[in-house]
Amino acid sequence: MSDKPLFPEPDAALIPAPGRLSASLPGGGTGYVIDADTGIEATEGTERVARWLRSTVGAATGLPLPPHLNSGNRILLRIVPSLADRLGSPEAYRLCADGYLVAIDGASEAGLFWGAQTFRQLLGPEAFRRAPVTGRTEWEFPAVTIHDAPRFRWRGLMLDVARHFMPKEGVLRYLDLMAAHKLNVFHFHLTDDQGWRIEIRRHPKLTEVASWRARTKFGHRASPLWEEKPHGGYYTQDDIREIVAYAAERHITVVPEIDVPGHSQAAIAAYPELGNTDVVDTTALPVLDTWGISSNVLAPTDTTLRFYEGVLEEVLELFPADAAEFSAFVHLGGDECRKDQWSESVTAKTRITDLGLADEDELQSWFIGHFDRWLAARGRRLIGWDEILEGGLAPGAAVSSWRGYGGGVAAARAGHDVVMCPEQYVYLDHRQAPGEDEPVPIGFVRTLEDVYRFEPVPPELGEEDARHVLGTQANVWTEVMEDAARVDYQTFPRLAAFAEVAWSSLPAPEERDFADFEHRMAAHYRRLDALGVAYRPPAGPRPWQRRPGVLGRPLQGPPPNR
C-alpha cells in the first residue's frame, strides 16, 4: 500500500478530506463491484447504520442491499472500539475495500456512520439521488483503505429559524446536509424579537401571538421595501421530537436556543408582563417586523424568572440529555441585550440594589447565572454568546465566541469551554463576493477560500487553554433570507469548506492547498446538484439568485483580525 496525497479521479474527491487514504499497488487489489447480490452484514450495534444505507444508497442505486451473513459479496459493518485509541477519537472509522468485500469499521456507531458517509461519496454523485436515474446494475467501488477521525468534537451549524421560519421538512433536509458533511451539532435558534418557533403548552400565546408578525422588512433594515403579508410558523412539540430523533439517527445533537434577556420582543408581545412595564407600555408592543436589535428586553423580575423556568422545563423534556456528548447543553443567547430600559426602570434599579450589584452589566450576569444554576441542578449545561462574560460568568457555563476570537480566548483562559464561531470568518450571511450581483449583500466579503483558511484555534492560546476549544460552528442568520433557496445560496458551497476545517487535520491557514480543495469541489458540486442544493456557483449567482435593487449593508475591506 502507498499513501497518495490526492485522489486519482474527481468522483473519488472526498470532502471533508480524510486523514489517510491508501490505494492498492498494481496487482494488489481490484476494487469492488456492488450489485444486486451485494448484501449488508450488520454486526452487533450497527443496525441503524445498515438501515440508513438501505434507505439512501439503496434508494439511489435501486439495489436491495439485503441482510447478509459471514461470507460472500457484502458490505461488512463493525464496531471496533480500539480504533478510538489508534486514531484518537471515538468518532474514528476505517474503510477498506478489495475484491471480496467493503468493510466499514467505526470506533463507535457515530464513527461507523461517518464511514458510511464516505462510502456513499466514493460511489459517485448519483449515489446522492433519491431514486435511480441510470440503468446501471453494477456500481464500481475503488480499492482503497481509509483511516479517518475528526479534529474537533463540536462541528456545528447554527440555523436561525426565528427571523424567517423554515418548515419542518426544510429542517430535516438540513440535518441530512449536515450529515453528508460530517457535522454533528445543530444549533437551533428558535426565538428572537421577530418570532417564537417552539410550542410551549403552558404558555399558548407564544405560538398564538409570538410566532407571527404582520409584515416583514425585505432586505437590510435600511431598505424601504416590505413584504406586506403575515409571516410566521412554529414547531409543535411532536415536530421537535421528530427533529431530535431524526438528528440522533444521523449522530447529530440538537442544541436549542431560547434567547434571554435580550432578543425577546416577540415573547413580550405575547405576555406583556415579561417586559419593563414601568418604562414602556408593553401591551402595545407587536412582534418586531424589521431587523436590528430591539430595546424591549425582559424585566429582571421573579415573574420573568418563573415564566422562563416553565419554558425550560418543557424544553428539557423535548431535548433530553442522553449519551451524546453535547446533549446536556442548552443555549440561552445572552447577546446584544440593550440595557436602556433597565437604566430607566425603578424595578431594575431596585433589583440591582437588593442584590448588591454594581450596574446593569452585573444584572445581566445575575440573570444568566440564575439559569446556569437552574440548569446545572437538572444535570444540564448553559452555553451562551460571548456577552455572557460581561459582569462575570458562572463556573459551568460555556461560550459561543462570535465577536471575533477575543471572547473565546478570555473564556478558555478562565477555564470555560468554548465554541469558536467568529462572525468575521464563519457567519455565512456575510456576502460571498464583492460584485454588485450578490443578493442583498451583508457584511464583509467571505469567499470560499476565506472560509477554507479559517483557523478555529487562535495562536495566542497555549496548549492547555486550547483544550477548552470544543470545536467550531458556522452560523446562518436569516434576516435577508426569505426562503430555503436563499438559505442554500448563502450556506453552500462555503459549508463544505467549513466542514473540512472542522473535520480534517489541516496545516496552518496560509499553507492549506486550496487548489486541491477546488479540485475536489468539482465532484462535490455534482453531489450538491443531486441533493437539490441551490448553492452559489463558482462563477457567481445565477440570474434568479440575484436580488437587484434590494438594499443590503456591505462592509468594505478585510474583516478585523480579532
Side-chain angles (χ1 to χ4, degrees), residues 163-184:
R163 272 53 176 269
H164 278 102
F165 179 65
M166 180 177 285
K168 179 190 68 178
E169 291 75 13
V171 175
L172 299 179
R173 172 176 173 265
Y174 258 81
L175 291 170
D176 281 327
L177 292 172
M178 288 179 64
H181 292 83
K182 298 185 174 73
L183 300 175
N184 69 338

Side-chain angles (χ1 to χ4, degrees), residues 161-165 190-199 204-214 230-235 265-267 269-270 287-288:
V161 296
R163 272 53 176 269
H164 278 102
F165 179 65
L190 289 162
T191 74
D192 218 296
D193 296 312
Q194 294 86 4
W196 184 284
R197 306 295 178 216
I198 178 172
E199 178 188 21
K205 290 182 182 178
L206 289 173
T207 45
E208 293 170 1
V209 175
S211 69
W212 291 92
R213 57 179 181 262
H231 176 87
Y234 66 92
Y235 309 103
Q265 183 167 326
V287 176
L288 193 63

